[in-house]
Coordinates of all heavy atoms in Angstrom, one line a residue:
M216 N 8.4 7.0 25.0 CA 8.7 7.6 23.7 C 9.8 6.8 23.1 O 10.8 6.4 23.6 CB 9.2 9.0 23.9 CG 8.1 10.0 24.5 SD 7.2 10.8 23.2 CE 8.3 12.2 22.9
E217 N 9.6 6.6 21.8 CA 10.5 5.8 21.0 C 10.7 6.6 19.7 O 9.9 7.2 19.1 CB 9.9 4.5 20.7 CG 10.8 3.5 20.1 CD 10.1 2.2 19.6 OE1 8.9 2.1 19.8 OE2 10.8 1.4 19.0
K218 N 12.0 6.5 19.2 CA 12.3 7.2 17.9 C 12.1 6.1 16.9 O 12.7 5.1 16.9 CB 13.7 7.7 17.9 CG 13.9 9.0 18.6 CD 15.3 9.6 18.4 CE 15.4 10.9 19.0 NZ 16.8 11.5 18.9
V219 N 11.3 6.5 15.9 CA 11.1 5.6 14.7 C 11.2 6.3 13.4 O 11.1 7.5 13.4 CB 9.7 5.0 14.8 CG1 9.5 4.1 16.1 CG2 8.6 6.0 14.7
C220 N 11.5 5.6 12.4 CA 11.7 6.1 11.1 C 10.2 6.3 10.5 O 9.5 5.3 10.4 CB 12.5 5.2 10.2 SG 12.5 5.6 8.5
P221 N 9.9 7.5 10.1 CA 8.6 7.8 9.6 C 8.3 7.1 8.2 O 7.1 6.9 7.9 CB 8.6 9.3 9.3 CG 10.0 9.7 9.3 CD 10.7 8.8 10.1
V222 N 9.3 6.8 7.5 CA 9.2 6.1 6.2 C 8.9 4.6 6.5 O 7.9 4.1 5.9 CB 10.4 6.3 5.3 CG1 10.2 5.5 4.0 CG2 10.5 7.8 5.0
C223 N 9.7 4.0 7.3 CA 9.4 2.6 7.7 C 8.1 2.4 8.2 O 7.4 1.3 8.0 CB 10.5 2.1 8.7 SG 12.2 1.9 8.0
N224 N 7.6 3.4 9.0 CA 6.3 3.2 9.7 C 5.2 3.9 9.0 O 4.1 3.9 9.6 CB 6.5 3.8 11.2 CG 7.4 2.9 12.0 OD1 7.0 1.9 12.6 ND2 8.7 3.2 12.0
E225 N 5.5 4.4 7.8 CA 4.4 5.0 7.0 C 3.6 6.1 7.7 O 2.4 6.2 7.6 CB 3.5 3.9 6.4 CG 4.2 2.9 5.6 CD 3.3 1.8 5.1 OE1 2.2 1.8 5.4 OE2 3.8 0.9 4.3
I226 N 4.4 6.9 8.5 CA 3.8 8.0 9.2 C 3.7 9.2 8.2 O 2.6 9.8 8.1 CB 4.6 8.5 10.4 CG1 4.7 7.3 11.4 CG2 4.1 9.7 11.0 CD1 5.7 7.5 12.4
N227 N 4.7 9.4 7.5 CA 4.8 10.5 6.5 C 5.0 9.9 5.1 O 5.7 8.9 4.9 CB 5.9 11.5 6.8 CG 5.7 12.3 8.0 OD1 4.6 12.5 8.4 ND2 6.8 12.8 8.5
D228 N 4.3 10.5 4.1 CA 4.6 10.1 2.8 C 5.7 11.0 2.3 O 5.4 12.1 1.7 CB 3.3 10.3 2.0 CG 3.3 9.6 0.7 OD1 4.1 8.7 0.6 OD2 2.5 9.8 -0.1
I229 N 6.9 10.6 2.5 CA 8.1 11.3 2.1 C 8.4 11.1 0.6 O 8.5 10.0 0.2 CB 9.2 11.1 3.0 CG1 8.9 11.5 4.4 CG2 10.5 11.8 2.5 CD1 10.0 11.3 5.4
R230 N 8.5 12.2 -0.1 CA 8.9 12.1 -1.5 C 10.0 13.0 -1.8 O 10.1 14.1 -1.3 CB 7.7 12.4 -2.4 CG 6.6 11.3 -2.2 CD 5.4 11.5 -3.1 NE 4.4 10.6 -2.6 CZ 4.2 9.4 -3.1 NH1 4.8 9.1 -4.2 NH2 3.3 8.6 -2.7
Y231 N 10.8 12.6 -2.8 CA 11.9 13.4 -3.2 C 11.9 13.6 -4.7 O 11.3 12.7 -5.4 CB 13.2 12.8 -2.8 CG 13.5 12.8 -1.3 CD1 13.2 11.7 -0.6 CD2 14.1 13.9 -0.8 CE1 13.4 11.8 0.8 CE2 14.3 14.0 0.6 CZ 14.0 12.9 1.3 OH 14.2 13.0 2.7
K232 N 12.4 14.7 -5.1 CA 12.6 14.9 -6.6 C 13.9 14.4 -7.0 O 14.9 14.6 -6.4 CB 12.5 16.4 -6.9 CG 11.1 16.9 -6.6 CD 10.4 17.2 -7.9 CE 9.1 18.0 -7.7 NZ 7.9 17.2 -7.9
C233 N 13.9 13.7 -8.2 CA 15.1 13.2 -8.8 C 16.1 14.4 -9.2 O 15.6 15.3 -9.8 CB 14.8 12.4 -10.0 SG 16.2 11.8 -10.9
R234 N 17.3 14.2 -8.8 CA 18.3 15.3 -9.1 C 18.7 15.3 -10.6 O 19.3 16.2 -11.1 CB 19.4 15.3 -8.2 CG 20.4 14.2 -8.4 CD 21.8 14.4 -7.9 NE 21.8 14.3 -6.5 CZ 22.9 13.9 -5.8 NH1 24.0 13.7 -6.4 NH2 22.9 13.8 -4.5
E235 N 18.4 14.2 -11.2 CA 18.8 14.0 -12.6 C 17.7 14.6 -13.6 O 18.1 15.3 -14.5 CB 19.0 12.6 -12.9 CG 20.2 12.0 -12.2 CD 21.5 12.6 -12.6 OE1 21.8 12.6 -13.8 OE2 22.3 12.9 -11.8
C236 N 16.5 14.3 -13.3 CA 15.4 14.7 -14.2 C 14.3 15.4 -13.6 O 13.3 15.8 -14.3 CB 14.9 13.4 -15.0 SG 13.9 12.3 -14.0
G237 N 14.2 15.5 -12.2 CA 13.2 16.3 -11.6 C 11.9 15.5 -11.4 O 10.9 16.1 -10.8
S238 N 11.9 14.2 -11.7 CA 10.6 13.4 -11.5 C 10.6 12.9 -10.1 O 11.5 13.1 -9.3 CB 10.7 12.2 -12.5 OG 10.6 12.7 -13.8
E239 N 9.5 12.3 -9.8 CA 9.3 11.9 -8.4 C 10.1 10.6 -8.1 O 10.2 9.7 -8.9 CB 7.8 11.5 -8.2 CG 7.4 11.2 -6.8 CD 5.9 10.9 -6.7 OE1 5.4 10.0 -7.3 OE2 5.3 11.7 -6.0
M240 N 10.7 10.6 -6.9 CA 11.4 9.4 -6.5 C 10.6 8.7 -5.4 O 10.0 9.3 -4.6 CB 12.8 9.8 -5.9 CG 13.7 10.4 -6.9 SD 15.4 10.7 -6.4 CE 16.1 9.1 -6.6
I241 N 10.6 7.4 -5.5 CA 9.8 6.6 -4.5 C 10.8 5.8 -3.6 O 11.8 5.4 -4.0 CB 8.8 5.7 -5.2 CG1 9.5 4.8 -6.2 CG2 7.7 6.5 -5.8 CD1 8.6 3.7 -6.7
D242 N 10.3 5.5 -2.4 CA 11.0 4.7 -1.5 C 11.1 3.2 -1.9 O 10.1 2.6 -2.2 CB 10.3 4.8 -0.1 CG 11.0 4.0 0.9 OD1 12.3 3.9 0.9 OD2 10.3 3.4 1.8
K243 N 12.3 2.7 -1.9 CA 12.5 1.3 -2.3 C 12.7 0.5 -1.1 O 13.1 -0.7 -1.1 CB 13.7 1.2 -3.3 CG 13.5 1.9 -4.5 CD 12.3 1.4 -5.3 CE 12.5 0.0 -5.9 NZ 11.4 -0.5 -6.7
G244 N 12.6 1.1 0.1 CA 12.8 0.4 1.3 C 14.1 0.7 2.0 O 15.0 1.5 1.5
R245 N 14.3 0.1 3.1 CA 15.6 0.3 3.8 C 16.7 -0.3 3.0 O 16.6 -1.4 2.3 CB 15.6 -0.3 5.2 CG 14.6 0.4 6.1 CD 14.7 -0.2 7.5 NE 15.9 0.4 8.1 CZ 16.2 0.0 9.4 NH1 15.6 -0.9 10.0 NH2 17.3 0.5 9.9
K246 N 17.8 0.4 2.9 CA 18.9 -0.1 2.0 C 19.4 -1.5 2.4 O 19.7 -2.4 1.6 CB 20.1 0.8 2.0 CG 21.0 0.6 0.9 CD 22.0 1.7 0.7 CE 22.9 1.3 -0.5 NZ 24.0 2.2 -0.6
Q247 N 19.4 -1.8 3.7 CA 19.8 -3.1 4.1 C 18.9 -4.3 3.7 O 19.3 -5.4 3.6 CB 20.0 -3.2 5.7 CG 18.6 -3.1 6.4 CD 18.8 -2.8 7.9 OE1 19.7 -2.0 8.2 NE2 18.1 -3.5 8.7
E248 N 17.6 -3.9 3.4 CA 16.7 -4.9 3.0 C 16.7 -5.1 1.4 O 16.4 -6.1 0.9 CB 15.3 -4.6 3.4 CG 15.1 -4.8 4.9 CD 13.9 -4.1 5.5 OE1 13.1 -3.6 4.7 OE2 13.9 -4.0 6.7
Y249 N 17.1 -4.0 0.8 CA 17.2 -4.0 -0.7 C 18.4 -4.8 -1.1 O 18.4 -5.6 -2.0 CB 17.3 -2.6 -1.2 CG 17.1 -2.5 -2.6 CD1 15.7 -2.5 -3.1 CD2 18.0 -2.3 -3.6 CE1 15.4 -2.4 -4.4 CE2 17.8 -2.2 -4.9 CZ 16.4 -2.2 -5.3 OH 16.2 -2.1 -6.7
F250 N 19.5 -4.7 -0.4 CA 20.7 -5.5 -0.7 C 20.8 -6.5 0.4 O 21.4 -6.3 1.4 CB 21.9 -4.5 -0.7 CG 21.9 -3.6 -1.8 CD1 21.6 -2.2 -1.5 CD2 22.2 -3.9 -3.1 CE1 21.6 -1.3 -2.6 CE2 22.1 -3.0 -4.1 CZ 21.9 -1.7 -3.9
N251 N 20.3 -7.7 0.0 CA 20.2 -8.8 1.1 C 21.5 -9.3 1.5 O 21.5 -9.9 2.6 CB 19.3 -9.9 0.5 CG 17.9 -9.5 0.3 OD1 17.4 -8.7 1.1 ND2 17.2 -10.0 -0.7
D252 N 22.5 -9.1 0.8 CA 23.8 -9.8 1.2 C 24.4 -9.0 2.3 O 25.4 -9.5 2.9 CB 24.7 -9.9 0.0 CG 24.5 -9.0 -1.1 OD1 23.4 -8.5 -1.3 OD2 25.5 -8.6 -1.9
Y253 N 24.0 -7.9 2.6 CA 24.5 -7.2 3.8 C 23.8 -7.7 5.1 O 22.6 -8.1 5.1 CB 24.2 -5.7 3.7 CG 25.1 -5.0 2.7 CD1 24.7 -4.7 1.4 CD2 26.4 -4.6 3.1 CE1 25.5 -4.1 0.5 CE2 27.2 -3.9 2.2 CZ 26.8 -3.7 0.9 OH 27.6 -3.1 0.0
S254 N 24.6 -7.7 6.1 CA 24.0 -8.2 7.4 C 23.0 -7.2 7.9 O 23.1 -6.0 7.8 CB 25.2 -8.2 8.4 OG 24.7 -8.3 9.7
A255 N 21.9 -7.7 8.4 CA 20.8 -6.9 8.9 C 21.1 -6.0 10.1 O 20.6 -4.9 10.3 CB 19.6 -7.8 9.3
D256 N 22.2 -6.4 10.8 CA 22.5 -5.5 11.9 C 23.8 -4.7 11.7 O 24.5 -4.3 12.6 CB 22.6 -6.3 13.2 CG 23.5 -7.6 13.1 OD1 24.3 -7.6 12.2 OD2 23.3 -8.5 13.9
D257 N 24.2 -4.6 10.4 CA 25.3 -3.8 10.1 C 25.0 -2.4 10.6 O 24.0 -1.8 10.1 CB 25.5 -3.8 8.6 CG 26.8 -3.1 8.2 OD1 27.2 -2.2 8.9 OD2 27.3 -3.5 7.1
P258 N 25.8 -1.8 11.5 CA 25.5 -0.5 12.1 C 25.5 0.6 11.1 O 24.9 1.7 11.4 CB 26.6 -0.3 13.1 CG 27.7 -1.2 12.7 CD 27.0 -2.4 12.0
I259 N 26.1 0.5 9.9 CA 26.2 1.6 9.0 C 24.8 1.9 8.4 O 24.5 3.0 8.0 CB 27.1 1.2 7.8 CG1 27.6 2.5 7.1 CG2 26.5 0.2 6.9 CD1 28.7 2.3 6.1
Y260 N 23.8 1.0 8.5 CA 22.5 1.3 8.0 C 21.5 1.8 9.0 O 20.4 2.1 8.7 CB 21.9 0.0 7.3 CG 22.7 -0.3 6.1 CD1 23.5 -1.5 6.1 CD2 22.9 0.6 5.1 CE1 24.2 -1.8 5.0 CE2 23.7 0.3 4.0 CZ 24.3 -0.9 3.9 OH 25.1 -1.2 2.9
D261 N 22.0 2.0 10.3 CA 21.1 2.6 11.2 C 22.0 3.6 12.0 O 22.7 3.3 12.9 CB 20.5 1.5 12.2 CG 19.3 2.0 12.8 OD1 19.0 3.3 12.7 OD2 18.6 1.2 13.4
I262 N 22.0 4.8 11.5 CA 23.0 5.8 11.9 C 22.4 6.7 12.9 O 21.8 7.8 12.6 CB 23.6 6.6 10.7 CG1 24.0 5.6 9.7 CG2 24.7 7.4 11.1 CD1 24.3 6.2 8.3
G263 N 22.5 6.4 14.2 CA 21.9 7.3 15.2 C 20.5 7.6 15.1 O 19.6 6.7 15.1
D264 N 20.2 8.9 14.8 CA 18.8 9.3 14.6 C 18.3 9.1 13.2 O 17.2 9.6 12.9 CB 18.7 10.8 15.0 CG 18.8 11.0 16.5 OD1 18.7 9.9 17.3 OD2 19.0 12.1 17.0
Y265 N 19.1 8.5 12.4 CA 18.7 8.4 11.0 C 18.5 6.9 10.5 O 19.1 6.1 11.1 CB 19.7 9.1 10.1 CG 19.8 10.5 10.3 CD1 20.6 11.0 11.3 CD2 19.0 11.4 9.6 CE1 20.7 12.4 11.6 CE2 19.1 12.8 9.8 CZ 19.9 13.3 10.8 OH 20.0 14.6 11.0
C266 N 17.7 6.8 9.5 CA 17.5 5.5 8.9 C 17.8 5.7 7.4 O 17.3 6.6 6.8 CB 16.0 5.1 9.1 SG 15.5 3.6 8.4
L267 N 18.6 4.7 6.9 CA 19.1 4.9 5.5 C 18.1 4.1 4.5 O 18.0 2.9 4.7 CB 20.5 4.3 5.4 CG 21.2 4.5 4.0 CD1 21.3 5.9 3.7 CD2 22.5 3.8 4.1
H268 N 17.6 4.9 3.7 CA 16.7 4.4 2.7 C 17.2 4.6 1.3 O 18.1 5.4 1.0 CB 15.3 5.1 2.7 CG 14.4 4.6 3.8 ND1 13.4 3.7 3.6 CD2 14.5 4.8 5.1 CE1 12.8 3.5 4.7 NE2 13.4 4.1 5.7
L269 N 16.7 3.8 0.3 CA 17.1 3.9 -1.0 C 15.9 4.4 -1.8 O 14.8 3.8 -1.7 CB 17.5 2.5 -1.5 CG 18.0 2.5 -2.9 CD1 19.4 3.1 -3.0 CD2 18.2 1.0 -3.4
F270 N 16.1 5.5 -2.5 CA 15.0 6.1 -3.3 C 15.3 5.9 -4.8 O 16.5 6.0 -5.1 CB 14.8 7.6 -3.0 CG 13.9 7.8 -1.8 CD1 14.4 7.5 -0.5 CD2 12.6 8.2 -1.9 CE1 13.6 7.7 0.6 CE2 11.8 8.5 -0.8 CZ 12.3 8.2 0.5
K271 N 14.3 5.6 -5.6 CA 14.6 5.4 -6.9 C 13.6 6.3 -7.8 O 12.4 6.4 -7.5 CB 14.3 4.0 -7.3 CG 14.7 3.5 -8.7 CD 14.4 2.1 -8.9 CE 14.6 1.7 -10.3 NZ 14.3 0.2 -10.6
C272 N 14.1 6.9 -8.8 CA 13.3 7.7 -9.7 C 12.4 6.9 -10.5 O 12.7 5.8 -11.0 CB 14.3 8.5 -10.6 SG 13.3 9.5 -11.8
T273 N 11.1 7.3 -10.6 CA 10.1 6.6 -11.4 C 10.3 6.7 -12.9 O 9.8 6.0 -13.6 CB 8.7 7.1 -11.0 OG1 8.7 8.5 -11.2 CG2 8.3 6.8 -9.6
K274 N 11.1 7.7 -13.3 CA 11.3 7.9 -14.7 C 12.6 7.4 -15.3 O 12.7 6.7 -16.2 CB 11.1 9.4 -14.9 CG 11.0 9.8 -16.4 CD 10.6 11.2 -16.6 CE 10.5 11.6 -18.0 NZ 10.3 13.1 -18.2
C275 N 13.7 7.9 -14.6 CA 15.0 7.5 -15.2 C 15.8 6.5 -14.4 O 16.9 6.1 -14.7 CB 15.9 8.8 -15.3 SG 16.5 9.4 -13.8
D276 N 15.1 5.9 -13.4 CA 15.7 4.9 -12.5 C 17.0 5.3 -11.8 O 17.7 4.4 -11.3 CB 16.1 3.6 -13.4 CG 14.8 2.9 -13.8 OD1 13.7 3.2 -13.2 OD2 14.8 2.1 -14.7
F277 N 17.2 6.6 -11.7 CA 18.3 7.0 -10.9 C 18.0 6.7 -9.4 O 17.0 6.8 -8.9 CB 18.4 8.6 -11.0 CG 19.5 9.2 -10.1 CD1 20.8 9.1 -10.4 CD2 19.1 9.9 -9.0 CE1 21.8 9.7 -9.6 CE2 20.0 10.6 -8.2 CZ 21.4 10.4 -8.5
M278 N 19.1 6.1 -8.7 CA 18.9 5.7 -7.3 C 19.8 6.6 -6.4 O 20.8 7.0 -6.8 CB 19.3 4.3 -7.1 CG 18.2 3.3 -7.8 SD 18.2 1.8 -7.0 CE 18.6 0.7 -8.3
E279 N 19.2 6.8 -5.2 CA 20.0 7.7 -4.3 C 19.7 7.2 -2.9 O 18.6 6.9 -2.5 CB 19.5 9.1 -4.5 CG 20.4 10.1 -3.6 CD 20.2 11.5 -4.1 OE1 19.1 11.9 -4.2 OE2 21.2 12.2 -4.2
D280 N 20.8 7.1 -2.1 CA 20.6 6.9 -0.7 C 20.1 8.1 0.0 O 20.6 9.2 -0.3 CB 22.0 6.6 -0.1 CG 22.6 5.3 -0.6 OD1 21.9 4.6 -1.3 OD2 23.8 5.1 -0.4
T281 N 19.2 7.9 0.9 CA 18.6 9.1 1.6 C 18.5 8.7 3.1 O 18.0 7.7 3.5 CB 17.2 9.4 1.1 OG1 17.3 9.6 -0.3 CG2 16.7 10.7 1.7
L282 N 19.1 9.6 3.9 CA 19.0 9.5 5.4 C 17.7 10.1 5.8 O 17.4 11.3 5.6 CB 20.2 10.2 6.1 CG 21.5 9.4 5.9 CD1 22.6 10.3 6.5 CD2 21.5 8.1 6.7
I283 N 16.8 9.3 6.5 CA 15.6 9.8 7.0 C 15.7 10.0 8.5 O 16.1 9.1 9.2 CB 14.4 8.7 6.7 CG1 14.4 8.3 5.3 CG2 13.1 9.3 7.2 CD1 14.0 9.4 4.3
R284 N 15.3 11.2 8.9 CA 15.4 11.5 10.3 C 14.3 10.8 11.1 O 13.2 11.0 10.8 CB 15.4 13.0 10.5 CG 15.9 13.5 11.8 CD 15.9 15.0 11.9 NE 17.1 15.5 12.6 CZ 17.3 15.4 13.9 NH1 16.4 14.8 14.7 NH2 18.4 15.9 14.5
K285 N 14.7 10.1 12.2 CA 13.6 9.5 13.0 C 12.9 10.5 13.8 O 13.4 11.5 14.1 CB 14.3 8.4 13.9 CG 14.9 7.3 13.2 CD 15.6 6.3 14.1 CE 16.3 5.2 13.4 NZ 17.1 4.4 14.3
V286 N 11.6 10.2 14.1 CA 10.8 11.1 14.8 C 10.3 10.4 16.1 O 10.2 9.1 16.2 CB 9.6 11.5 14.0 CG1 10.0 12.4 12.8 CG2 8.7 10.4 13.5
M287 N 10.0 11.2 17.1 CA 9.4 10.6 18.3 C 8.0 10.2 18.1 O 7.2 10.8 17.6 CB 9.4 11.8 19.4 CG 10.8 12.1 19.9 SD 11.4 10.7 20.9 CE 12.9 11.6 21.7
M288 N 7.7 9.0 18.7 CA 6.3 8.5 18.7 C 5.6 8.7 20.0 O 6.2 8.4 21.0 CB 6.3 7.0 18.3 CG 6.5 6.7 16.8 SD 5.0 7.1 15.9 CE 4.1 5.6 16.3
Ligands
ZN992 ZN1 13.3 3.7 7.7
ZN993 ZN1 15.1 10.8 -12.7

C-alpha cells in the first residue's frame, strides 16, 4: 500500500469553487512544478499526508494553494 495524491494521479476529479466569485477552480499542478525556481525536493511542498497544489479560478484568475489529502492505493 502506498499513499498517493489523487489529483497528481488523476484518481479523483477534484474541483473547488472560487472564494472570490464562486466559479470553478481548476488544478494548475503541484505548486513546486508551477514555480520552477523552487527546489523539487523542498519539503514544504510535500507535507506528510498532503500534496500542495495550486488551483486557479477559470473566471477571475484567483489562485489558491490547496492541500490535497493523499489516499491509499
Ligand atoms: Zn498532488
Ligand atoms: Zn473566481
Side-chain angles (χ1 to χ4, degrees):
M216 293 266 273
E217 189 189 358
K218 279 187 176 176
V219 299
C220 169
V222 177
C223 289
N224 292 275
E225 297 176 1
I226 298 166
N227 288 338
D228 197 16
I229 294 180
R230 292 181 193 261
Y231 289 96
K232 292 255 190 247
C233 174
R234 71 159 76 149
E235 295 293 311
C236 73
S238 295
E239 187 177 60
M240 298 187 81
I241 53 166
D242 177 37
K243 300 298 287 182
R245 298 184 74 183
K246 198 171 180 190
Q247 70 194 38
E248 288 162 13
Y249 196 78
F250 294 104
N251 290 325
D252 27 331
Y253 286 94
S254 164
D256 50 23
D257 190 330
I259 199 169
Y260 295 117
D261 203 350
I262 310 165
D264 288 345
Y265 295 88
C266 180
L267 185 61
H268 280 257
L269 187 67
F270 277 74
K271 185 178 176 184
C272 178
T273 53
K274 193 171 178 188
C275 74
D276 290 342
F277 176 74
M278 290 207 238
E279 187 164 46
D280 296 349
T281 307
L282 285 170
I283 307 295
R284 197 174 220 289
K285 294 179 186 173
V286 295
M287 287 289 192
M288 281 285 280

